[in-house]
């Protein structure tokens, strides 16, 4: 699932212009699915892969690198890593995971502009005379496990697991395949970004990308 947003300030007056709030199937090439664990008679099955720990900070950096690769291929400058935005981005991913929602606006009504403000971060990127971008946001939710084995006794085992690089690629590919997210990624005016990642115990990965 992916979602994107950008806000524009005109002559100092902040207005919100939502590009999209879109959701799609998980992006690992196929949605998570379930198979019978009985296998094929007479064919021993290899042990399923183990669900390893994903380092959130490393994944965030890999996503950042891939975003910049995309921008460079399209003649745009690289986005600098904005350490001041990281806590805001990671905080939103953590909040979505802990409260089980996927949206730019939290259940308590806070949007990303308010999160910027609460985090003490001010964004003002010149767009045109009297106009400024005051921030932007892309969201993604990707599954580390794309296929589970379900055994007759009810046990579930991860059968297909994405690597850290595959998770980063799935995240950026998903944004690229959605016009609103692509527009955010390729906006020439952006100067910096932060990626905030949270990984749940079941392998669900929550990603927040904030721009300035």
């Amino acid at each position: 699932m992916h979602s994107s947003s950008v806000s524009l300030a005109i002559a100092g007056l902040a207005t919100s212009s939502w590009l999209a709030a879109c959701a799609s199937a998980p992006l690992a090439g196929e949605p998570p699915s379930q198979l019978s664990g009985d296998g094929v008679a007479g064919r021993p099955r290899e042990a399923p892969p183990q669900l390893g720990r994903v380092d959130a900070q490393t994944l965030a950096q890999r996503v950042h690198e891939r975003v910049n690769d995309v921008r460079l291929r399209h003649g745009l400058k690289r986005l600098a890593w904005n350490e001041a935005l990281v806590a805001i981005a990671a905080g939103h991913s953590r909040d979505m995971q802990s409260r089980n929602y996927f949206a730019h606006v939290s259940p308590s009504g806070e949007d990303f502009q308010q999160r910027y403000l609460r985090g003490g971060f001010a964004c003002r990127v010149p767009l045109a005379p009297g106009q400024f971008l005051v921030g932007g946001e892309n969201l993604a939710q990707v599954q580390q496990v794309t296929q589970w084995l379900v055994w007759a006794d009810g046990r579930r085992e991860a059968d297909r697991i994405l690597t850290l690089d595959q998770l980063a690629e799935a995240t950026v590919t998903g944004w690229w395949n959605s016009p609103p997210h692509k527009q955010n990624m390729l906006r020439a005016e952006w100067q910096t970004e932060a990626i905030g990642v949270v990984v749940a115990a079941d392998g669900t990965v929550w990603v927040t990308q904030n721009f300035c």
Side-chain angles (χ1 to χ4, degrees), residues 65-85:
E65 291 166 5
R66 280 163 174 73
V67 169
N68 276 330
D69 288 344
V70 170
R71 288 177 62 88
L72 289 173
R73 287 199 300 268
H74 289 80
L76 299 171
K77 65 183 179 182
R78 296 176 59 86
L79 297 175
W81 181 258
N82 194 320
E83 193 64 36
L85 260 179

Side-chain angles (χ1 to χ4, degrees), residues 51-133:
L51 185 60
R53 178 179 178 274
V54 173
D55 185 82
Q57 293 183 351
T58 302
L59 179 54
Q61 287 293 333
R62 299 287 174 85
V63 172
H64 174 61
E65 291 166 5
R66 280 163 174 73
V67 169
N68 276 330
D69 288 344
V70 170
R71 288 177 62 88
L72 289 173
R73 287 199 300 268
H74 289 80
L76 299 171
K77 65 183 179 182
R78 296 176 59 86
L79 297 175
W81 181 258
N82 194 320
E83 193 64 36
L85 260 179
V86 171
I88 295 170
H92 187 52
S93 290
R94 191 177 304 110
D95 188 59
M96 288 191 293
Q97 188 271 328
S98 64
R99 293 204 274 177
N100 193 30
Y101 71 97
F102 181 74
H104 297 289
V105 180
S106 73
S108 54
E110 185 179 60
D111 63 19
F112 80 85
Q113 292 183 75
Q114 293 167 312
R115 290 190 288 274
Y116 279 25
L117 181 64
R118 178 166 53 83
F121 184 83
C123 178
R124 189 177 173 90
V125 179
L127 183 64
Q131 297 184 357
F132 303 87
L133 290 168

